[in-house]
Amino acid sequence: MYNEGGDDMRKVPVFTIEDIKKMEQDTLSKQKLNQIELIQRAGQKLFETVNQENMVSKKDKIIGLIGKGHNGTDLLWLLKHLFDDGYDVYYSLLFDSTTNDIQNSLLKMLDSSRLVSKKAYLNQISSYDVIFDGILGTGFKGDIDNSLKEIMCQTNQFKNHMISIDIPSGVDASSGIAAQCALKADQTLIIGGYKVGNLLNDAKDYHGKPYVIDIGLEDVTSHLHYIIASHNDIKVERLHHTHKYHYGNIGVISGQKHMFGASVLASHAALRSGAGLVTLYIKGQYPHDLFSVFPEIIMDTYAFKHQLLRKIKSKQIIIYGQGAKQKKTDTLLRKLIRLNQMMVIDASAIYGFKRLIKESNNHKPIILTPHIKEFSTFAGVDLSFAKKKAIDILRQENFKHLYVILKGPTTLIKIGQDIYFVQAGHPGMATAGSGDVLAGMVGAYVLQYGIEKGLIKAVLTHGKAGDLAKHLFGEEAMIASDLIEALKHVNTSSKHI
């Protein structure tokens, strides 16, 4: 039981490309602007941000790589402002001709002596201190055209400071998937608001530091949200007149004997995340030496499914799947679902749940915690399609009643019709058992904080524990149990954090 405060989760909207197009059209209509005036506004805001953040200096030799789309046009305005303000600015047109009247008008305003041919640029790349990227924009999909690929590949080979406009060229703005030779930015100036592709899949490896530039676009309702809260922003005060059953009574079901460690990790993580009581159910005999290592975990055994079902029905939430066999038909899972208890379904059990979706309608909350491969198999699509269309898949009818944590470099959390984007952790967490730790944390936090805050806090805290484990053990050396060790510190004022 807690003394709970208000809404302490900081979040900003994320938009699809269709949302952005509508926002731009609504802005032109409602604010009585023409296209040139909106582009001028974007160019001015870009210039202000570049100056305020000291991204360039007047000692720098600057070049802008101009494509024939909107990003190239926005960049032309920015370069004009920089040139007028005394910066050493050059530009290169990476197209043969354009039918864009606005671009043609802008080009007439620029000093033609500052125009650098594509051939000259390739020979002089190393001479530029800062490169502004306005080659490809939100309309890019698929592969980079051969006429641009050489330029972009060679640009990546040098260590010039790279600043991309809206999204790094070669990154798909609807999915975040990067094509071969996509530009790697040090900073990205995101115009109007986060797009899906600014956050998902390869985005973290290509964007550098992102800056969102508000150009006064009209709002649209978005059910996509980027969480910018810290794990400690979601907290509640425990009341004194409470006992262990107020903080979660959890049942974890162990899988195959040779993968027994997975369920131990989940159980231990649940306790370290504040659960009041955790029971680990083991088929057959359990290793007795484990009791001395983990005395806080209650270990109970069963021989037959009906015995397990009778014992576990008193639990507030069931965590299942760690170390389980991958089965198309999981008879134990079917029986567990019929108990109608809150569940966290993880790992191999997700495959078995695919055939049980209809049976889980009107069920107490069911939380799936797949990685992208498990998600693609569950959704019945290939892996590449799942990466490109994860948002659309999560909005399908089959997922309507489910809560989902889709683990990745940016984790997606589906809660009702809302999808939350959480960037937490690092590649060192791609290690066996890391997901088992998260499953245990999810079970504990959901019971303490409720579904929405509990799921988000679990992902944020899991990432923070990963950051501390990296600090203590190194990204390559850390293992899943180090995350649990780190949980002892992440909610304190430890100087290591």
Side-chain angles (χ1 to χ4, degrees):
M1 294 177 68
Y2 298 95
N3 181 12
E4 188 167 353
D7 187 356
D8 38 21
M9 286 190 296
R10 292 175 290 141
K11 54 196 175 186
V12 295
V14 179
F15 302 107
T16 64
I17 301 306
E18 291 72 24
D19 288 336
I20 292 291
K21 288 178 180 177
K22 184 177 188 311
M23 291 162 69
E24 289 176 349
Q25 289 301 316
D26 288 350
T27 301
L28 296 174
S29 173
K30 293 180 181 179
Q31 298 181 24
K32 302 189 185 318
L33 300 174
N34 59 43
Q35 192 73 44
I36 295 177
E37 290 170 324
L38 185 57
I39 292 170
Q40 286 175 327
R41 183 191 288 181
Q44 178 63 37
K45 292 292 186 180
L46 288 168
F47 174 65
E48 290 172 3
T49 302
V50 167
N51 267 341
Q52 289 167 5
E53 299 296 331
N54 297 312
M55 294 183 184
V56 296
S57 79
K58 292 187 177 177
K59 295 180 180 179
D60 291 330
K61 186 178 180 182
I62 300 167
I63 189 166
L65 304 180
I66 311 298
K68 59 184 177 180
H70 290 308
N71 282 15
T73 308
D74 292 336
L75 178 52
L76 281 171
W77 273 109
L78 169 59
L79 295 178
K80 181 181 183 304
H81 284 302
L82 289 170
F83 182 78
D84 291 346
D85 202 43
Y87 288 86
D88 187 18
V89 175
Y90 299 83
Y91 62 100
S92 185
L93 305 177
L94 304 188
F95 52 85
D96 296 324
S97 63
T98 178
T99 57
N100 187 325
D101 292 337
I102 299 173
Q103 275 196 352
N104 284 325
S105 298
L106 270 170
L107 289 170
K108 292 175 183 177
M109 299 181 195
L110 296 175
D111 184 347
S112 60
S113 69
R114 297 282 170 151
L115 176 62
V116 178
S117 70
K118 288 185 277 188
K119 183 177 180 180
Y121 167 72
L122 288 172
N123 290 330
Q124 302 168 8
I125 295 175
S126 62
S127 70
Y128 297 102
D129 300 297
V130 178
I131 298 175
F132 279 96
D133 157 35
I135 305 172
L136 301 170
T138 57
F140 169 77
K141 290 185 183 298
D143 296 321
I144 296 168
D145 187 86
N146 287 333
S147 63
L148 296 174
K149 188 174 285 187
E150 180 188 5
I151 293 172
M152 293 169 66
C153 281
Q154 289 201 36
T155 298
N156 275 337
Q157 291 176 12
F158 291 85
K159 300 299 181 184
N160 318 69
H161 190 81
M162 176 77 66
I163 303 173
S164 289
I165 305 299
D166 208 25
I167 192 163
S169 290
V171 176
D172 187 328
S174 63
S175 69
I177 293 175
Q180 183 184 12
C181 295
L183 292 182
K184 287 196 170 186
D186 296 287
Q187 294 158 312
T188 301
L189 305 175
I190 300 169
I191 300 173
Y194 283 107
K195 290 86 178 165
V196 171
N198 293 132
L199 297 169
L200 283 189
N201 290 306
D202 299 314
K204 286 181 75 173
D205 291 320
Y206 284 81
H207 277 67
K209 185 175 181 179
Y211 297 81
V212 177
I213 314 298
D214 181 5
I215 62 168
L217 294 180
E218 295 292 318
D219 287 333
V220 297
T221 300
S222 176
H223 292 289
L224 307 177
H225 315 277
Y226 177 38
I227 297 295
I228 55 176
S230 157
H231 70 295
N232 267 335
D233 290 335
I234 305 172
K235 57 186 177 183
V236 286
E237 180 185 349
R238 286 194 174 196
L239 301 179
H240 289 87
H241 190 199
T242 55
H243 51 74
K244 60 179 177 282
Y245 290 102
H246 285 125
Y247 302 110
N249 184 5
I250 298 174
V252 180
I253 300 174
S254 179
Q256 302 171 82
K257 287 185 178 179
H258 68 282
M259 298 184 72
F260 184 69
S263 54
V264 173
L265 285 169
S267 301
H268 196 190
L271 285 169
R272 279 289 179 209
S273 301
L277 194 71
V278 176
T279 303
L280 175 56
Y281 294 95
I282 303 157
K283 189 171 184 178
Q285 295 298 312
Y286 65 84
H288 289 278
D289 55 340
L290 275 175
F291 184 78
S292 60
V293 179
F294 303 105
E296 300 89 355
I297 300 173
I298 300 171
M299 298 191 186
D300 199 354
T301 61
Y302 67 97
F304 302 101
K305 291 185 181 74
H306 70 271
Q307 295 172 329
L308 170 64
L309 297 171
R310 184 178 69 249
K311 292 179 176 186
I312 207 167
K313 65 182 181 181
S314 64
K315 301 299 176 182
Q316 291 174 280
I317 193 166
I318 298 169
I319 301 174
Y320 177 61
Q322 294 76 34
K325 287 184 179 179
Q326 184 175 325
K327 302 176 183 177
K328 287 186 177 180
T329 303
D330 191 328
T331 55
L332 174 57
L333 182 56
R334 173 175 275 118
K335 292 177 183 295
L336 290 169
I337 287 172
R338 289 174 181 171
L339 291 177
N340 194 24
Q341 288 167 275
M342 195 182 303
M343 292 190 70
V344 178
I345 300 177
D346 184 37
S348 295
I350 292 170
Y351 299 109
F353 181 67
K354 182 176 180 178
R355 293 193 174 190
L356 303 173
I357 294 175
K358 290 182 180 178
E359 294 184 36
S360 66
N361 282 324
N362 303 314
H363 194 282
K364 287 182 179 178
I366 291 178
I367 302 157
L368 304 184
T369 56
H371 55 58
I372 190 65
K373 181 64 173 69
E374 292 163 342
F375 178 72
S376 67
T377 302
F378 181 79
V381 299
D382 65 46
L383 186 61
S384 62
F385 186 84
K387 289 179 179 179
K388 291 176 184 176
K389 298 291 184 181
I391 301 292
D392 294 338
I393 294 169
L394 286 170
R395 287 172 164 168
Q396 290 176 358
E397 187 67 25
N398 278 350
F399 288 89
K400 188 175 181 180
H401 65 292
L402 301 174
Y403 297 86
V404 181
I405 295 177
L406 176 54
K407 298 174 287 194
T410 297
T411 293
L412 295 178
I413 304 174
K414 179 196 168 293
I415 301 171
Q417 62 181 339
D418 292 304
I419 298 174
Y420 297 89
F421 295 63
V422 180
Q423 290 188 336
H426 54 83
M429 297 172 70
T431 184
S434 179
D436 303 316
V437 172
L438 178 61
M441 295 173 67
V442 167
Y445 283 133
V446 161
L447 293 179
Q448 295 170 81
Y449 293 85
I451 286 282
E452 180 177 2
K453 290 185 178 182
L455 294 183
I456 293 170
K457 183 172 177 70
V459 174
L460 287 171
T461 308
H462 186 251
K464 189 63 178 179
D467 292 340
L468 181 55
K470 176 182 175 180
H471 171 79
L472 294 173
F473 306 105
E475 191 172 85
E476 294 180 354
M478 63 170 287
I479 57 177
S481 56
D482 295 331
L483 296 172
I484 300 173
E485 179 69 18
L487 285 174
K488 292 192 292 188
H489 307 286
V490 294
N491 289 321
T492 71
S493 57
S494 169
K495 65 181 180 180
H496 296 299
I497 301 173

